[in-house]
Amino acid sequence: MAAERLHADDRASLQEAMQHLVRTGEFEGRVVRLQLPDGRLRHAQLQCIGSKDASGTLTQLSGTIQDVTELKEAEQRIRHLRDYDGTTGLPNRHFFM
């Protein structure tokens, strides 16, 4: 993943997570936003695991990047439906609680 594609608001937390990975070999999965060349945003779920040798030195990283944009968009639609009337688009009582 090219660092310049990473959304500016996600860079610091991902850098911190990667430093933790190098120190401990552990990486908590996270979702980051990627900016495509045409300006669109995509959400990516990152997973990674580190392997250490007998002396405890990190020697290998294995991981996956999964596009979860559709999931994030569905979550946003559900939150909107929770707070707004589906017919009128006006805030419902849940919005004011």
Side-chain angles (χ1 to χ4, degrees):
M1 171 177 50
E4 64 273 3
R5 297 270 182 248
L6 191 60
H7 192 279
D9 293 344
D10 295 337
R11 288 183 185 154
S13 67
L14 184 59
Q15 183 176 10
E16 190 176 299
M18 295 304 289
Q19 290 170 350
H20 180 75
L21 171 65
V22 170
R23 284 192 313 274
T24 67
E26 298 175 3
F27 180 83
E28 184 178 310
R30 65 185 56 228
V31 175
V32 296
R33 292 163 292 174
L34 303 174
Q35 183 102 33
L36 300 181
D38 63 6
R40 291 181 300 140
L41 284 178
R42 302 298 289 183
H43 292 82
Q45 170 75 39
L46 308 179
Q47 298 286 340
C48 189
I49 189 168
S51 298
K52 295 181 178 183
D53 62 15
S55 67
T57 303
L58 186 64
T59 58
Q60 183 178 359
L61 296 175
S62 301
T64 62
I65 301 173
Q66 181 179 6
D67 186 342
V68 293
T69 303
E70 289 181 18
L71 174 65
K72 287 297 189 182
E73 290 170 348
E75 289 172 352
Q76 184 177 356
R77 282 191 305 274
I78 291 167
R79 281 191 299 275
H80 181 81
L81 290 170
R82 178 194 66 193
D83 296 335
Y84 295 89
D85 181 80
T87 304
T88 65
L90 295 172
N92 64 26
R93 66 182 176 170
H94 186 270
F95 184 83
F96 297 105
M97 295 180 155

